[in-house]
Amino acid sequence: MEIGKKLKNARLQKGLTQEAVAEKIQVSRQTISNWENERSYPDIVSVVNLSNLYKISLDELLKEDKRMLEHLEESTDIVKSNKKLAATIIIHIALLFALVLLNHLAPNTETFLVAVFVVAIINLSLLLYQIIKRL
């Protein structure tokens, strides 16, 4: 059984509403709904809080849900996350150097400079997104 169904069944067995659960573990009601409908997965702290609230073991809650276990593994693997961020930063720096080099080799047209500026902004936005996502 998937974690969404397990969470919903456990909540209903305890006679709790999504609103009540959300308040007890300090998330929004929409978040509880998303977890129960498997549009998203809870983080490890929320899984522990839900386990305590519903008085079911983590093993029982997580067992046999491969996607949830993969989500938890990915979201808690700091080394892998750091490697991804470092690779992203290196790629972005290399792209910026390539753009500067192209600027020196290409004719100085306004169109080319605008294109370089747009690519640099997109590049920096993606990097910022990766950093924020990691936090």
Side-chain angles (χ1 to χ4, degrees):
M1 181 185 300
E2 292 86 18
I3 191 164
K5 291 177 185 172
K6 289 179 184 179
L7 291 174
K8 185 173 184 176
N9 289 341
R11 178 179 59 78
L12 293 174
Q13 285 178 354
K14 290 291 181 184
L16 297 169
T17 64
Q18 288 181 344
E19 188 74 37
V21 172
E23 188 175 304
K24 289 179 187 288
I25 65 167
Q26 299 179 347
V27 297
S28 70
R29 187 213 53 81
Q30 186 67 34
T31 299
I32 299 297
S33 175
N34 287 340
W35 292 343
E36 289 183 359
N37 293 306
E38 296 188 20
R39 283 185 229 113
S40 64
Y41 292 105
D43 60 25
I44 189 67
V45 173
S46 297
V47 171
V48 171
N49 289 338
L50 289 165
S51 171
N52 291 335
L53 177 64
Y54 296 148
K55 300 201 183 333
I56 56 177
S57 71
L58 287 171
D59 185 52
E60 185 179 342
L61 192 58
L62 299 175
K63 202 171 202 169
E64 297 176 13
D65 192 339
K66 187 176 179 179
R67 289 188 338 201
M68 179 61 188
L69 292 174
E70 287 171 358
H71 165 75
L72 288 174
E73 184 178 320
E74 175 131 349
S75 66
T76 58
D77 190 345
I78 294 171
V79 172
K80 186 176 180 182
S81 178
N82 286 343
K83 285 181 181 178
K84 281 183 180 178
L85 184 58
T88 302
I89 290 170
I90 290 168
I91 289 169
H92 286 46
I93 290 171
L95 180 60
L96 285 175
F97 278 123
L99 290 173
V100 169
L101 182 61
L102 280 174
N103 184 35
H104 289 298
L105 297 175
N108 287 332
T109 64
E110 260 186 51
T111 307
F112 181 76
L113 291 176
V114 169
V116 168
F117 180 73
V118 168
V119 170
I121 293 297
I122 292 170
N123 186 23
L124 291 173
S125 298
L126 291 171
L127 179 59
L128 183 60
Y129 170 76
Q130 287 292 325
I131 291 170
I132 290 172
K133 184 178 164 186
R134 187 176 181 280
L135 299 176

